Amino acid sequence: MAVIAKILVFAGSVRSGAFSGRTADVAQKELAMQGAEVTRISLADYPLPIIDEDLEKEKGVPDNAVKLGRLIAAHDGLLIATPEYNGSIPPLLKNTIDWVSQVRLDGGWPVRPLVGKVAGLCSSSNGHFAGIRCINHLRAVLVRCQLEMVTPECSVSDGGSAFDGDGNFRDERLTKSMEHLCRTLIETSRMLSTRTGA
């Protein structure tokens, strides 16, 4: 029997009705339909200060960064749905990644939660570019953090009209794109799992 992939899903925005959040919802459903065990979180539940080396030296890595790191370590893969801010990564998402990348200990045990973790990316915007500038920047940052990135992506343009009343994509091509991304993420996450307790 194949190992069930555990996938953590979150959006890079916590705004009510954010297209990235709605895209993450589609991903959550698709991953579950394909047999993954899915955990959906909101970064609003893990508030963090702006990353600051002086603060880290004085008080250590914030508890919420450690909690997020622990959650990431307990999953085989990540699916991140990001909006685009000024052609690049939203500050909430970048700050979160930067803090989690600083996690080295959890309960006295050495841990590097991002290293070797498999990740798949979605992007969205209200325009025609679908957040593709951001997704390229985000991919580069995550590679620098030593994550294993899957190649397929799902980029949602014209976010205001991209979803139907049930929260699904109206465009069949987007649906197929999400199916392909989720399938590849599940398969790669099973193959490269570094999950703690797996």
Side-chain angles (χ1 to χ4, degrees):
M1 185 172 123
V3 175
I4 295 174
K6 291 186 68 175
I7 308 294
L8 182 66
V9 177
F10 59 90
S13 172
V14 297
R15 178 179 63 83
S16 176
F19 305 137
S20 58
R22 297 175 76 180
T23 302
D25 291 341
V26 175
Q28 177 183 0
K29 287 188 283 188
E30 182 59 36
L31 286 162
M33 281 177 55
Q34 293 193 25
E37 182 181 329
V38 185
T39 305
R40 174 81 157 86
I41 63 168
S42 170
L43 295 183
D45 295 326
Y46 300 89
L48 291 163
I50 297 296
I51 193 158
D52 179 335
E53 289 186 0
D54 289 336
L55 177 65
E56 182 182 356
K57 186 175 180 181
E58 179 185 349
K59 297 186 176 180
V61 175
D63 287 345
N64 278 338
V66 176
K67 288 176 183 175
L68 268 174
R70 186 181 306 143
L71 195 57
I72 290 167
H75 287 76
D76 300 306
L78 311 175
L79 190 143
I80 303 171
T82 184
E84 182 174 286
Y85 281 35
N86 294 322
S88 192
I89 307 168
L92 169 66
L93 181 55
K94 182 64 165 62
N95 192 59
T96 299
I97 293 166
D98 289 344
W99 269 125
V100 173
S101 74
Q102 295 300 104
V103 175
R104 298 289 186 276
L105 292 171
D106 182 8
W109 294 94
V111 62
R112 298 288 299 274
L114 296 178
V115 175
K117 199 62 58 176
V118 178
L121 302 180
C122 300
S123 63
S124 58
S125 76
N126 201 29
H128 298 307
F129 291 111
I132 57 174
R133 293 167 296 191
C134 170
I135 209 170
N136 290 330
H137 293 180
L138 179 56
R139 182 177 292 275
V141 169
L142 295 176
V143 166
R144 182 68 182 84
C145 293
Q146 301 180 55
L147 282 86
E148 301 289 340
M149 307 300 300
V150 299
T151 302
E153 301 172 351
C154 182
S155 294
V156 182
S157 61
D158 301 310
S161 58
F163 305 89
D164 65 21
D166 295 320
N168 300 310
F169 292 140
R170 295 183 190 276
D171 189 336
E172 183 65 21
R173 288 173 299 176
L174 269 182
T175 300
K176 290 190 178 303
S177 177
M178 182 65 83
E179 288 173 355
H180 182 44
L181 166 58
C182 291
R183 186 179 309 112
T184 306
L185 179 59
I186 289 170
E187 291 171 356
T188 309
S189 296
R190 283 174 176 158
M191 184 170 59
L192 300 180
S193 178
T194 61
R195 183 193 345 155
T196 55

